[in-house]
Structures are given as structure tokens and as C-alpha cells.
Amino acid sequence: MNPRWMILPVFLVFALVPAADGSTIHRAHKHPSREKHSPRSLKAVDRSQDLETLKLDEEDRRYEAAKDAAKADPAIQRLKTEFDAATGTAARDAAIAYYHALFQKIRDGDKALKERADLTEAALMRRLKE
């Protein structure tokens, strides 16, 4: 076998190195259409996304805490027991009563979560009334 042909597979292995985005392009190959982002602009985007994520995470934690507190209420637990035991159309009515009381308790517990509780309750009620 000719030694020159032995070099070709080695070249292909080292020339087609996986790029950061997963594509296999030659490292020396430049794409003029790719935008260049300065590290500063990327950090600004990352920071704003991080702040938005932190804000949503905090709201999620508060919502879950309010929901757990509402579920610990004896009246809500009684409605849940009735809902679990009911069958047929009585189950749907019991579910409506349970979820309405649960979301009202969440709204009473944390006034800032009113909009989220309203939206979630409205979605559940639409599903229950189908």
C-alpha cells in the first residue's frame, strides 16, 4: 500500500473535529455569515435570562408553599376526601368545590399569587366542565 494513502484517513480524523455546536467542520473554516458576539453582549443576555429565571423560580416556590399550606387546612382536606370518595356526576361537583376552595385559600394566603391562582383555576374549571 502506498504511504501517501495512509495519510488521508489520519487527515480526515483530525481535520473534521466536532465544533462547539455539534457540527463537524474544519477548525480553520470561517463562516462570514455567522455573527460575532462580544463576551459583554452575551453576558448581558445571560444575566437578564438568569434574573427572569430566578424571578419565576421564586414565584414557583411561593406558589407551591401557598398550595401546601392550603392543602394542610382541615376544611380543604375534608373536601378532598369527599372528592376522592365521590363517583359519577357527584365526583365532578365535588372536584369543582374542592378546587374552588383550594384556589381561594391560595389567593387568601398570598395576594401576589392571585393572577396565577385565577388562571390555573379557570383552566381546571374549563376542563372539568367539558
Side-chain angles (χ1 to χ4, degrees):
M1 189 172 197
N2 190 345
R4 279 188 268 165
W5 292 105
M6 300 281 292
I7 295 173
L8 183 61
V10 173
F11 171 74
L12 288 177
V13 169
F14 289 107
L16 296 175
V17 178
D21 62 356
S23 63
T24 53
I25 59 170
H26 190 279
R27 293 248 187 231
H29 187 71
K30 301 289 183 190
H31 291 279
S33 63
R34 289 189 184 182
E35 294 181 27
K36 301 258 180 183
H37 294 290
S38 68
R40 176 177 278 164
S41 68
L42 289 176
K43 285 181 183 175
V45 169
D46 290 341
R47 284 187 193 134
S48 67
Q49 289 173 349
D50 288 344
L51 290 175
E52 196 64 33
T53 302
L54 288 174
K55 184 178 177 183
L56 290 175
D57 288 344
E58 178 61 28
E59 182 181 339
D60 288 343
R61 281 192 292 274
R62 284 187 16 241
Y63 182 78
E64 290 301 319
K67 189 165 79 170
D68 290 342
K71 285 182 177 182
D73 184 76
I76 302 295
Q77 289 176 353
R78 182 180 47 80
L79 287 170
K80 176 68 171 155
T81 304
E82 291 173 7
F83 166 46
D84 290 338
T87 58
T89 57
R92 189 186 67 150
D93 294 339
I96 290 172
Y98 167 71
Y99 286 119
H100 180 69
L102 177 70
F103 288 112
Q104 187 60 45
K105 194 74 168 172
I106 291 171
R107 286 196 265 318
D108 292 343
D110 191 346
K111 302 293 184 193
L113 297 173
K114 181 187 182 319
E115 183 179 351
R116 182 170 176 174
D118 289 343
L119 291 172
T120 307
E121 182 182 14
L124 273 169
M125 292 303 151
R126 276 193 306 270
R127 226 187 293 153
L128 287 171
K129 292 180 180 180
E130 288 180 348

PDB file of all heavy atoms in Angstrom, residues 95-123:
ATOM      1  N   ALA A  95     -65.206  17.826  42.800  1.00  0.00           N
ATOM      2  CA  ALA A  95     -63.935  18.354  42.305  1.00  0.00           C
ATOM      3  C   ALA A  95     -64.010  19.869  42.147  1.00  0.00           C
ATOM      4  O   ALA A  95     -63.069  20.593  42.517  1.00  0.00           O
ATOM      5  CB  ALA A  95     -63.573  17.707  40.971  1.00  0.00           C
ATOM      6  N   ILE A  96     -65.125  20.352  41.622  1.00  0.00           N
ATOM      7  CA  ILE A  96     -65.303  21.802  41.466  1.00  0.00           C
ATOM      8  C   ILE A  96     -65.263  22.489  42.823  1.00  0.00           C
ATOM      9  O   ILE A  96     -64.595  23.518  42.997  1.00  0.00           O
ATOM     10  CB  ILE A  96     -66.612  22.100  40.702  1.00  0.00           C
ATOM     11  CG1 ILE A  96     -66.462  21.671  39.238  1.00  0.00           C
ATOM     12  CG2 ILE A  96     -66.984  23.575  40.803  1.00  0.00           C
ATOM     13  CD1 ILE A  96     -67.743  21.728  38.438  1.00  0.00           C
ATOM     14  N   ALA A  97     -65.953  21.943  43.795  1.00  0.00           N
ATOM     15  CA  ALA A  97     -65.971  22.531  45.142  1.00  0.00           C
ATOM     16  C   ALA A  97     -64.570  22.503  45.758  1.00  0.00           C
ATOM     17  O   ALA A  97     -64.125  23.491  46.357  1.00  0.00           O
ATOM     18  CB  ALA A  97     -66.958  21.787  46.031  1.00  0.00           C
ATOM     19  N   TYR A  98     -63.876  21.376  45.618  1.00  0.00           N
ATOM     20  CA  TYR A  98     -62.523  21.241  46.181  1.00  0.00           C
ATOM     21  C   TYR A  98     -61.564  22.244  45.561  1.00  0.00           C
ATOM     22  O   TYR A  98     -60.868  22.970  46.276  1.00  0.00           O
ATOM     23  CB  TYR A  98     -62.019  19.813  45.982  1.00  0.00           C
ATOM     24  CG  TYR A  98     -60.535  19.668  46.248  1.00  0.00           C
ATOM     25  CD1 TYR A  98     -60.026  19.754  47.533  1.00  0.00           C
ATOM     26  CD2 TYR A  98     -59.634  19.458  45.204  1.00  0.00           C
ATOM     27  CE1 TYR A  98     -58.664  19.625  47.782  1.00  0.00           C
ATOM     28  CE2 TYR A  98     -58.277  19.330  45.447  1.00  0.00           C
ATOM     29  CZ  TYR A  98     -57.797  19.415  46.728  1.00  0.00           C
ATOM     30  OH  TYR A  98     -56.456  19.302  46.965  1.00  0.00           O
ATOM     31  N   TYR A  99     -61.512  22.288  44.228  1.00  0.00           N
ATOM     32  CA  TYR A  99     -60.557  23.181  43.574  1.00  0.00           C
ATOM     33  C   TYR A  99     -60.894  24.649  43.806  1.00  0.00           C
ATOM     34  O   TYR A  99     -60.001  25.479  43.964  1.00  0.00           O
ATOM     35  CB  TYR A  99     -60.454  22.871  42.080  1.00  0.00           C
ATOM     36  CG  TYR A  99     -59.684  21.610  41.811  1.00  0.00           C
ATOM     37  CD1 TYR A  99     -60.257  20.528  41.166  1.00  0.00           C
ATOM     38  CD2 TYR A  99     -58.359  21.482  42.223  1.00  0.00           C
ATOM     39  CE1 TYR A  99     -59.550  19.363  40.932  1.00  0.00           C
ATOM     40  CE2 TYR A  99     -57.643  20.320  41.998  1.00  0.00           C
ATOM     41  CZ  TYR A  99     -58.239  19.271  41.351  1.00  0.00           C
ATOM     42  OH  TYR A  99     -57.533  18.122  41.133  1.00  0.00           O
ATOM     43  N   HIS A 100     -62.182  24.977  43.847  1.00  0.00           N
ATOM     44  CA  HIS A 100     -62.562  26.370  44.119  1.00  0.00           C
ATOM     45  C   HIS A 100     -62.089  26.780  45.517  1.00  0.00           C
ATOM     46  O   HIS A 100     -61.509  27.855  45.695  1.00  0.00           O
ATOM     47  CB  HIS A 100     -64.073  26.556  43.984  1.00  0.00           C
ATOM     48  CG  HIS A 100     -64.503  27.955  44.240  1.00  0.00           C
ATOM     49  ND1 HIS A 100     -64.210  29.006  43.388  1.00  0.00           N
ATOM     50  CD2 HIS A 100     -65.197  28.496  45.279  1.00  0.00           C
ATOM     51  CE1 HIS A 100     -64.696  30.121  43.882  1.00  0.00           C
ATOM     52  NE2 HIS A 100     -65.306  29.847  45.042  1.00  0.00           N
ATOM     53  N   ALA A 101     -62.312  25.918  46.503  1.00  0.00           N
ATOM     54  CA  ALA A 101     -61.877  26.225  47.867  1.00  0.00           C
ATOM     55  C   ALA A 101     -60.353  26.267  47.966  1.00  0.00           C
ATOM     56  O   ALA A 101     -59.785  27.135  48.650  1.00  0.00           O
ATOM     57  CB  ALA A 101     -62.435  25.183  48.832  1.00  0.00           C
ATOM     58  N   LEU A 102     -59.673  25.346  47.273  1.00  0.00           N
ATOM     59  CA  LEU A 102     -58.207  25.319  47.306  1.00  0.00           C
ATOM     60  C   LEU A 102     -57.616  26.605  46.747  1.00  0.00           C
ATOM     61  O   LEU A 102     -56.759  27.241  47.376  1.00  0.00           O
ATOM     62  CB  LEU A 102     -57.689  24.109  46.517  1.00  0.00           C
ATOM     63  CG  LEU A 102     -56.170  23.991  46.406  1.00  0.00           C
ATOM     64  CD1 LEU A 102     -55.566  23.620  47.763  1.00  0.00           C
ATOM     65  CD2 LEU A 102     -55.802  22.961  45.355  1.00  0.00           C
ATOM     66  N   PHE A 103     -58.097  27.025  45.580  1.00  0.00           N
ATOM     67  CA  PHE A 103     -57.540  28.232  44.968  1.00  0.00           C
ATOM     68  C   PHE A 103     -57.940  29.496  45.733  1.00  0.00           C
ATOM     69  O   PHE A 103     -57.173  30.460  45.778  1.00  0.00           O
ATOM     70  CB  PHE A 103     -57.928  28.320  43.491  1.00  0.00           C
ATOM     71  CG  PHE A 103     -57.197  27.307  42.655  1.00  0.00           C
ATOM     72  CD1 PHE A 103     -57.867  26.258  42.073  1.00  0.00           C
ATOM     73  CD2 PHE A 103     -55.827  27.382  42.486  1.00  0.00           C
ATOM     74  CE1 PHE A 103     -57.198  25.311  41.322  1.00  0.00           C
ATOM     75  CE2 PHE A 103     -55.142  26.442  41.737  1.00  0.00           C
ATOM     76  CZ  PHE A 103     -55.824  25.402  41.154  1.00  0.00           C
ATOM     77  N   GLN A 104     -59.107  29.483  46.349  1.00  0.00           N
ATOM     78  CA  GLN A 104     -59.483  30.623  47.189  1.00  0.00           C
ATOM     79  C   GLN A 104     -58.551  30.728  48.386  1.00  0.00           C
ATOM     80  O   GLN A 104     -58.123  31.820  48.769  1.00  0.00           O
ATOM     81  CB  GLN A 104     -60.945  30.501  47.644  1.00  0.00           C
ATOM     82  CG  GLN A 104     -61.443  31.721  48.369  1.00  0.00           C
ATOM     83  CD  GLN A 104     -61.364  32.970  47.502  1.00  0.00           C
ATOM     84  OE1 GLN A 104     -61.742  32.956  46.345  1.00  0.00           O
ATOM     85  NE2 GLN A 104     -60.864  34.052  48.076  1.00  0.00           N
ATOM     86  N   LYS A 105     -58.189  29.586  48.966  1.00  0.00           N
ATOM     87  CA  LYS A 105     -57.258  29.570  50.100  1.00  0.00           C
ATOM     88  C   LYS A 105     -55.874  30.055  49.661  1.00  0.00           C
ATOM     89  O   LYS A 105     -55.200  30.775  50.403  1.00  0.00           O
ATOM     90  CB  LYS A 105     -57.180  28.141  50.658  1.00  0.00           C
ATOM     91  CG  LYS A 105     -56.534  28.048  51.981  1.00  0.00           C
ATOM     92  CD  LYS A 105     -57.472  28.564  53.039  1.00  0.00           C
ATOM     93  CE  LYS A 105     -56.951  28.210  54.402  1.00  0.00           C
ATOM     94  NZ  LYS A 105     -57.703  28.826  55.459  1.00  0.00           N
ATOM     95  N   ILE A 106     -55.440  29.682  48.447  1.00  0.00           N
ATOM     96  CA  ILE A 106     -54.149  30.151  47.924  1.00  0.00           C
ATOM     97  C   ILE A 106     -54.189  31.658  47.746  1.00  0.00           C
ATOM     98  O   ILE A 106     -53.255  32.373  48.122  1.00  0.00           O
ATOM     99  CB  ILE A 106     -53.806  29.447  46.591  1.00  0.00           C
ATOM    100  CG1 ILE A 106     -53.498  27.974  46.835  1.00  0.00           C
ATOM    101  CG2 ILE A 106     -52.627  30.126  45.904  1.00  0.00           C
ATOM    102  CD1 ILE A 106     -53.358  27.147  45.567  1.00  0.00           C
ATOM    103  N   ARG A 107     -55.299  32.181  47.188  1.00  0.00           N
ATOM    104  CA  ARG A 107     -55.430  33.629  46.999  1.00  0.00           C
ATOM    105  C   ARG A 107     -55.423  34.368  48.336  1.00  0.00           C
ATOM    106  O   ARG A 107     -54.835  35.432  48.456  1.00  0.00           O
ATOM    107  CB  ARG A 107     -56.716  33.953  46.252  1.00  0.00           C
ATOM    108  CG  ARG A 107     -56.686  33.624  44.787  1.00  0.00           C
ATOM    109  CD  ARG A 107     -57.790  34.291  44.026  1.00  0.00           C
ATOM    110  NE  ARG A 107     -59.028  33.670  43.730  1.00  0.00           N
ATOM    111  CZ  ARG A 107     -59.283  32.428  43.329  1.00  0.00           C
ATOM    112  NH1 ARG A 107     -58.363  31.552  43.252  1.00  0.00           N
ATOM    113  NH2 ARG A 107     -60.490  32.029  43.030  1.00  0.00           N
ATOM    114  N   ASP A 108     -56.084  33.792  49.330  1.00  0.00           N
ATOM    115  CA  ASP A 108     -56.118  34.423  50.652  1.00  0.00           C
ATOM    116  C   ASP A 108     -54.749  34.370  51.327  1.00  0.00           C
ATOM    117  O   ASP A 108     -54.388  35.286  52.059  1.00  0.00           O
ATOM    118  CB  ASP A 108     -57.155  33.733  51.551  1.00  0.00           C
ATOM    119  CG  ASP A 108     -58.582  33.961  51.071  1.00  0.00           C
ATOM    120  OD1 ASP A 108     -58.799  34.889  50.257  1.00  0.00           O
ATOM    121  OD2 ASP A 108     -59.472  33.195  51.493  1.00  0.00           O
ATOM    122  N   GLY A 109     -53.997  33.319  51.068  1.00  0.00           N
ATOM    123  CA  GLY A 109     -52.686  33.157  51.695  1.00  0.00           C
ATOM    124  C   GLY A 109     -51.632  34.099  51.148  1.00  0.00           C
ATOM    125  O   GLY A 109     -50.791  34.603  51.886  1.00  0.00           O
ATOM    126  N   ASP A 110     -51.639  34.342  49.836  1.00  0.00           N
ATOM    127  CA  ASP A 110     -50.632  35.212  49.218  1.00  0.00           C
ATOM    128  C   ASP A 110     -51.310  36.020  48.124  1.00  0.00           C
ATOM    129  O   ASP A 110     -51.635  35.498  47.052  1.00  0.00           O
ATOM    130  CB  ASP A 110     -49.491  34.366  48.644  1.00  0.00           C
ATOM    131  CG  ASP A 110     -48.294  35.200  48.226  1.00  0.00           C
ATOM    132  OD1 ASP A 110     -48.413  36.438  48.118  1.00  0.00           O
ATOM    133  OD2 ASP A 110     -47.222  34.604  47.999  1.00  0.00           O
ATOM    134  N   LYS A 111     -51.545  37.290  48.391  1.00  0.00           N
ATOM    135  CA  LYS A 111     -52.268  38.162  47.455  1.00  0.00           C
ATOM    136  C   LYS A 111     -51.527  38.317  46.119  1.00  0.00           C
ATOM    137  O   LYS A 111     -52.145  38.531  45.089  1.00  0.00           O
ATOM    138  CB  LYS A 111     -52.486  39.551  48.077  1.00  0.00           C
ATOM    139  CG  LYS A 111     -53.239  39.539  49.379  1.00  0.00           C
ATOM    140  CD  LYS A 111     -54.659  39.117  49.186  1.00  0.00           C
ATOM    141  CE  LYS A 111     -55.386  39.223  50.531  1.00  0.00           C
ATOM    142  NZ  LYS A 111     -56.644  38.563  50.525  1.00  0.00           N
ATOM    143  N   ALA A 112     -50.196  38.191  46.134  1.00  0.00           N
ATOM    144  CA  ALA A 112     -49.411  38.355  44.907  1.00  0.00           C
ATOM    145  C   ALA A 112     -49.640  37.200  43.934  1.00  0.00           C
ATOM    146  O   ALA A 112     -49.364  37.322  42.747  1.00  0.00           O
ATOM    147  CB  ALA A 112     -47.927  38.468  45.235  1.00  0.00           C
ATOM    148  N   LEU A 113     -50.168  36.081  44.414  1.00  0.00           N
ATOM    149  CA  LEU A 113     -50.389  34.914  43.560  1.00  0.00           C
ATOM    150  C   LEU A 113     -51.807  34.857  43.011  1.00  0.00           C
ATOM    151  O   LEU A 113     -52.203  33.853  42.412  1.00  0.00           O
ATOM    152  CB  LEU A 113     -50.100  33.640  44.350  1.00  0.00           C
ATOM    153  CG  LEU A 113     -48.661  33.470  44.823  1.00  0.00           C
ATOM    154  CD1 LEU A 113     -48.544  32.268  45.740  1.00  0.00           C
ATOM    155  CD2 LEU A 113     -47.732  33.336  43.641  1.00  0.00           C
ATOM    156  N   LYS A 114     -52.579  35.933  43.184  1.00  0.00           N
ATOM    157  CA  LYS A 114     -53.973  35.951  42.757  1.00  0.00           C
ATOM    158  C   LYS A 114     -54.123  35.656  41.273  1.00  0.00           C
ATOM    159  O   LYS A 114     -54.929  34.809  40.875  1.00  0.00           O
ATOM    160  CB  LYS A 114     -54.620  37.289  43.088  1.00  0.00           C
ATOM    161  CG  LYS A 114     -56.076  37.367  42.686  1.00  0.00           C
ATOM    162  CD  LYS A 114     -56.627  38.758  42.888  1.00  0.00           C
ATOM    163  CE  LYS A 114     -58.073  38.885  42.541  1.00  0.00           C
ATOM    164  NZ  LYS A 114     -58.538  38.215  41.359  1.00  0.00           N
ATOM    165  N   GLU A 115     -53.338  36.304  40.436  1.00  0.00           N
ATOM    166  CA  GLU A 115     -53.463  36.121  38.985  1.00  0.00           C
ATOM    167  C   GLU A 115     -53.152  34.675  38.580  1.00  0.00           C
ATOM    168  O   GLU A 115     -53.879  34.076  37.788  1.00  0.00           O
ATOM    169  CB  GLU A 115     -52.537  37.084  38.251  1.00  0.00           C
ATOM    170  CG  GLU A 115     -52.673  36.998  36.742  1.00  0.00           C
ATOM    171  CD  GLU A 115     -51.767  37.976  36.021  1.00  0.00           C
ATOM    172  OE1 GLU A 115     -51.155  38.845  36.671  1.00  0.00           O
ATOM    173  OE2 GLU A 115     -51.676  37.865  34.792  1.00  0.00           O
ATOM    174  N   ARG A 116     -52.095  34.128  39.136  1.00  0.00           N
ATOM    175  CA  ARG A 116     -51.729  32.755  38.802  1.00  0.00           C
ATOM    176  C   ARG A 116     -52.799  31.772  39.278  1.00  0.00           C
ATOM    177  O   ARG A 116     -53.157  30.835  38.563  1.00  0.00           O
ATOM    178  CB  ARG A 116     -50.381  32.406  39.416  1.00  0.00           C
ATOM    179  CG  ARG A 116     -49.937  31.015  39.058  1.00  0.00           C
ATOM    180  CD  ARG A 116     -48.528  30.763  39.454  1.00  0.00           C
ATOM    181  NE  ARG A 116     -48.171  29.384  39.182  1.00  0.00           N
ATOM    182  CZ  ARG A 116     -46.964  28.905  39.323  1.00  0.00           C
ATOM    183  NH1 ARG A 116     -45.989  29.683  39.719  1.00  0.00           N
ATOM    184  NH2 ARG A 116     -46.709  27.643  39.054  1.00  0.00           N
ATOM    185  N   ALA A 117     -53.316  31.979  40.483  1.00  0.00           N
ATOM    186  CA  ALA A 117     -54.364  31.108  41.005  1.00  0.00           C
ATOM    187  C   ALA A 117     -55.627  31.226  40.155  1.00  0.00           C
ATOM    188  O   ALA A 117     -56.280  30.213  39.866  1.00  0.00           O
ATOM    189  CB  ALA A 117     -54.654  31.442  42.459  1.00  0.00           C
ATOM    190  N   ASP A 118     -55.958  32.441  39.718  1.00  0.00           N
ATOM    191  CA  ASP A 118     -57.135  32.636  38.866  1.00  0.00           C
ATOM    192  C   ASP A 118     -56.992  31.899  37.543  1.00  0.00           C
ATOM    193  O   ASP A 118     -57.921  31.227  37.090  1.00  0.00           O
ATOM    194  CB  ASP A 118     -57.367  34.123  38.599  1.00  0.00           C
ATOM    195  CG  ASP A 118     -57.855  34.890  39.819  1.00  0.00           C
ATOM    196  OD1 ASP A 118     -58.325  34.237  40.782  1.00  0.00           O
ATOM    197  OD2 ASP A 118     -57.761  36.132  39.809  1.00  0.00           O
ATOM    198  N   LEU A 119     -55.822  32.028  36.920  1.00  0.00           N
ATOM    199  CA  LEU A 119     -55.596  31.368  35.629  1.00  0.00           C
ATOM    200  C   LEU A 119     -55.624  29.847  35.756  1.00  0.00           C
ATOM    201  O   LEU A 119     -56.216  29.150  34.929  1.00  0.00           O
ATOM    202  CB  LEU A 119     -54.260  31.820  35.030  1.00  0.00           C
ATOM    203  CG  LEU A 119     -54.193  33.264  34.554  1.00  0.00           C
ATOM    204  CD1 LEU A 119     -52.765  33.637  34.179  1.00  0.00           C
ATOM    205  CD2 LEU A 119     -55.123  33.478  33.379  1.00  0.00           C
ATOM    206  N   THR A 120     -55.002  29.339  36.801  1.00  0.00           N
ATOM    207  CA  THR A 120     -54.961  27.895  36.999  1.00  0.00           C
ATOM    208  C   THR A 120     -56.358  27.359  37.297  1.00  0.00           C
ATOM    209  O   THR A 120     -56.767  26.326  36.763  1.00  0.00           O
ATOM    210  CB  THR A 120     -53.992  27.527  38.133  1.00  0.00           C
ATOM    211  OG1 THR A 120     -52.728  28.135  37.876  1.00  0.00           O
ATOM    212  CG2 THR A 120     -53.809  26.037  38.231  1.00  0.00           C
ATOM    213  N   GLU A 121     -57.089  28.075  38.136  1.00  0.00           N
ATOM    214  CA  GLU A 121     -58.449  27.641  38.462  1.00  0.00           C
ATOM    215  C   GLU A 121     -59.345  27.682  37.225  1.00  0.00           C
ATOM    216  O   GLU A 121     -60.127  26.747  36.985  1.00  0.00           O
ATOM    217  CB  GLU A 121     -59.054  28.514  39.561  1.00  0.00           C
ATOM    218  CG  GLU A 121     -60.445  28.073  39.961  1.00  0.00           C
ATOM    219  CD  GLU A 121     -61.068  28.955  41.021  1.00  0.00           C
ATOM    220  OE1 GLU A 121     -60.572  30.060  41.276  1.00  0.00           O
ATOM    221  OE2 GLU A 121     -62.079  28.507  41.595  1.00  0.00           O
ATOM    222  N   ALA A 122     -59.237  28.727  36.428  1.00  0.00           N
ATOM    223  CA  ALA A 122     -60.058  28.840  35.213  1.00  0.00           C
ATOM    224  C   ALA A 122     -59.769  27.680  34.255  1.00  0.00           C
ATOM    225  O   ALA A 122     -60.681  27.101  33.663  1.00  0.00           O
ATOM    226  CB  ALA A 122     -59.801  30.173  34.527  1.00  0.00           C
ATOM    227  N   ALA A 123     -58.492  27.313  34.113  1.00  0.00           N
ATOM    228  CA  ALA A 123     -58.136  26.202  33.235  1.00  0.00           C
ATOM    229  C   ALA A 123     -58.710  24.881  33.759  1.00  0.00           C
ATOM    230  O   ALA A 123     -59.248  24.084  32.989  1.00  0.00           O
ATOM    231  CB  ALA A 123     -56.604  26.100  33.115  1.00  0.00           C
TER     232      ALA A 123
END
